[in-house]
Structure formats: C-alpha cells, structure tokens
Amino acid sequence: MRAVVLDRYGGPEVLAVRDIAEPEPGPHQVVVRMAASGLNRLDVFVRQGLTGPGVRQPRALPHVMGAEGAGTVVAVGPAARTDLAPGDEVMVFSGLSCGSCRFCRRGETSRCSRYAILGEDVWGVQRELVALDPGSLLRVPAGMTLTEAAAVPTTFTTAWTMLMTTGRLRMGERILVVGASGGVSIAAMQLAAWAGAEVWAATRSPEKARYLGGLPYVHEVVDSSVPGWSAQVRERTGGLGVDLVADAVGAPTWPDAIRSLATGGRLVICGATGGDRPEISIRELYQAHRQILGAPFGGWNDFVDVVGVMERTGIRPLVHATVPMERTGDGHLIIERDEHIGKVVVDLT
C-alpha cells in the first residue's frame, strides 16, 4: 500500500510516496482505509527535524507522516470492544495513551505519562490502511465530508482545549486570535463565536485581513504588521483590552498579545511557530492580574466535546486546499509560506 514516508529530515522534497507493507491488525484493532489527512504545522516540524525543549521527534526513520485524518472502516478484529462496523466513516484521534492511569480514566489523555502523537512520535495516518485501537476512532457526524473530517481531530481539539478547557471562555467576552489564518486559529474563531464571544483577528497580511473581515464570525481585524499593534486593540476597546488572547505564533507576538489583555485577561498558547523565547515584562503580567496558560493538543474528552458541538451546530473546517498524496510536499510549502487561510488536506485515495 502507498504511504507518505520520511527517510531523512529536510525540505518538502524529502517526502516520498512509496509502497509499504499493509498493517497486521491485532484481534482488538480496527482497520481503516484512509481517505484524507489534514496537514498541521506539526507535520512541517517533523519533516524538518526540529529539536529543542518540548519538541519530540519520530522514534525511528523511516517514518510515516500524518497526525490527523478520516476514512472508512474495512475490518473489525474479533475481540475489538466497539460497535463500529465495516462501512462506518470515522475520524482518527491523534493522541495515544495508556488508557488506565488517572488522567486517562478522566479522559485527559494528553496528560498521560505515556502520551504520544500519531505522525510525530510513531507512524502516522498518511497511508492507505491503518490499524488502530477503537478508542482512537470517532464516527464522522452526518453531513460532514471525509475531507472536512480529516481536518478536525488535531485542529478543533486544540482550539477547544485552548478556549473552553484551559481558557475558560465565557459568553460575552472579547477574544483576540493572533496569526488568525491557520487551521487552529480559524477553528478557534468559529468556536468562540458559537460560544457567544466577540471575535477579533490579528494578521500581518492585507489580503488575509480583507478575507477575515468578510467572515460572519469576525468582529474586528487588527493589523499585526504594525509595530506596537496592541495600541490598536486598546484604542478600539476604549482602553479596556480583550479578555482572552489565543496565540500560536509565540515569541514575535507575545509582547503585544500581553499588552492587548484587559485586567485579569488570559493569554492561552498552543504553539510557538515564530519562536519560543519571547521578551516580556513580568510586571505587565502580575500588576494587571494577567495569566499565561499553556494549552497543547487536548484529550479524548475535548475531542468528543468539540465533535458533538460540530454535529449539533453544523460548524465545519474551512479547507483552503486539497492536494494529492504525491504532492504532499506542496501542501507543506503552502503552510511554510503562510499562504493558507484554514486547512490544507492531503487526499489519500
């Protein structure tokens, strides 16, 4: 079967599509024929061989890429504890855990000491067939395409964890999403609007600003290419600032993100795509009762909760582009160059 394989770290050209052995499923596993896989900044970091604090690499090369995806069940092991059946459309949850520790029992699987991520620590889902424990699978909501479903597990779970589980977003609050064109950022804005928040978006791109300004769930757009752009936020809010900032950019945006916060505001972070060593003033935090909260990819409960909301509300991922498996590297380039608004999805069929 075909798979997107990484043999060495480097640019997009190091990704190869080639035949690998089909999985040998255990009696407790479910086999899924993958239809599509959403790309994330994580995929770019894995391909580049990024190192540093908090960064994990594949346990061995060659490595099959892909953290999130969706497909159709083709076989169910005789001892699998599930009501899934061949023909069911499912999403693949990206997190792996022991299933028995106190965190796993509470559904907080990303806190497990044995936590791992598909496509980062172990082989991922960018292959035609994958065998998984049924605890990693959730049915695709009615009316959602497999391409859309492939963009949900990592992206929307992260956004939900940032806003709801960690950020404690409340109806009527004002939220600013920094770097507001990636998949997680778009998902965060959609979910925040559903939750009754006033949504602000910050972007450096005039073209993206025009697009974001036309989205029905975006209230204000801030030009973050201007030095000291937090002044725009303070001015437009009458000096109050915003209650919550969701920031996956990191070092370049933290100083203004913090200054955009109201007294008692929360900066919630899920990544550091622009760098992980910001220069900030501690006094600007504690003297205004502000908080910085880490919110990496969430647990199974977060995944179930956000998919339930999507099923009831009709919220769907914004898909920027779909690329065939053989052009997965082109999808990486779109993300590296920040050319996307929403998700880039790899077609695995």
Side-chain angles (χ1 to χ4, degrees):
M1 65 175 182
R2 295 181 306 153
V4 179
V5 180
L6 178 72
D7 289 304
R8 58 187 173 87
Y9 300 119
E13 71 281 356
V14 303
L15 297 174
V17 174
R18 68 164 187 261
D19 286 332
I20 63 171
E22 292 190 3
E24 297 180 5
H28 298 276
Q29 290 187 308
V30 174
V31 180
V32 179
R33 182 170 297 280
M34 299 302 299
S37 172
L39 288 178
N40 298 278
R41 187 71 63 165
L42 175 153
D43 298 283
V44 174
F45 290 158
V46 169
R47 191 205 75 227
Q48 293 173 335
L50 183 71
T51 59
V55 178
R56 300 189 299 269
Q57 290 186 320
R59 294 173 184 167
L61 296 180
H63 176 73
V64 174
M65 300 289 289
E68 65 181 349
T72 304
V73 173
V74 294
V76 178
R81 299 179 63 181
T82 181
D83 59 355
L84 291 172
D88 287 344
E89 294 184 342
V90 293
M91 290 179 281
V92 177
F93 183 62
S94 311
L96 302 173
S97 60
C98 75
S100 59
C101 70
R102 62 192 179 102
F103 297 116
C104 289
R105 288 179 181 273
R106 295 202 299 253
E108 299 171 347
T109 49
S110 60
R111 301 188 182 201
C112 176
S113 63
R114 291 167 57 186
Y115 177 67
I117 296 180
L118 290 166
E120 183 176 27
D121 302 281
V122 298
W123 278 21
V125 300
Q126 287 175 6
R127 42 181 159 158
E128 291 180 315
L129 294 170
V130 61
L132 292 165
D133 185 277
S136 294
L137 303 173
L138 197 63
R139 282 188 175 86
V140 175
M144 182 182 289
T145 68
L146 286 175
T147 298
E148 292 170 333
V152 169
T154 300
T155 305
F156 274 82
T157 303
T158 301
W160 181 269
T161 305
M162 290 181 74
L163 302 189
M164 308 303 176
T165 306
T166 302
R168 306 180 306 279
L169 182 67
R170 296 183 291 273
M171 182 180 291
E173 288 194 313
R174 184 180 284 135
I175 174 176
L176 170 66
V177 178
V178 179
S181 59
V184 171
S185 295
I186 295 293
M189 292 189 289
Q190 291 174 301
L191 292 171
W194 162 80
E198 181 180 287
V199 179
W200 291 45
T203 180
R204 299 176 56 87
S205 164
E207 294 78 13
K208 291 182 178 180
R210 285 191 290 272
Y211 184 92
L212 293 170
L215 294 175
Y217 41 84
V218 175
H219 182 77
E220 292 275 351
V221 179
V222 175
D223 182 0
S224 57
S225 69
V226 177
W229 54 264
S230 55
Q232 300 172 54
V233 179
R234 309 295 302 189
E235 180 181 359
R236 294 191 215 172
T237 59
L240 295 176
V242 300
D243 301 291
L244 188 147
V245 174
D247 189 334
V249 178
T253 53
W254 267 38
D256 278 293
I258 292 169
R259 291 168 191 150
S260 297
L261 287 171
T263 299
R266 294 95 69 200
L267 170 62
V268 187
I269 58 170
C270 70
T273 59
D276 67 341
R277 299 183 183 274
E279 293 187 10
I280 61 173
S281 165
I282 295 174
R283 295 186 184 92
E284 287 184 310
L285 289 169
Y286 73 80
Q287 288 185 352
H289 303 271
R290 293 163 173 158
Q291 302 174 60
I292 300 176
L293 302 168
F297 177 59
W300 175 259
N301 282 357
D302 298 304
F303 179 46
V304 172
D305 287 345
V306 74
V307 171
V309 167
M310 298 178 79
E311 187 167 21
R312 293 189 296 272
T313 63
I315 292 174
R316 297 292 182 264
L318 177 60
V319 177
H320 174 86
T322 302
V323 298
M325 184 186 292
E326 289 77 13
R327 290 177 51 202
T328 301
D330 292 346
H332 280 233
L333 279 176
I334 292 172
I335 294 174
E336 282 190 83
R337 295 170 178 171
D338 288 323
E339 296 173 346
H340 58 305
I341 300 178
K343 290 288 292 186
V344 178
V345 176
V346 179
D347 185 345
L348 302 175
T349 60

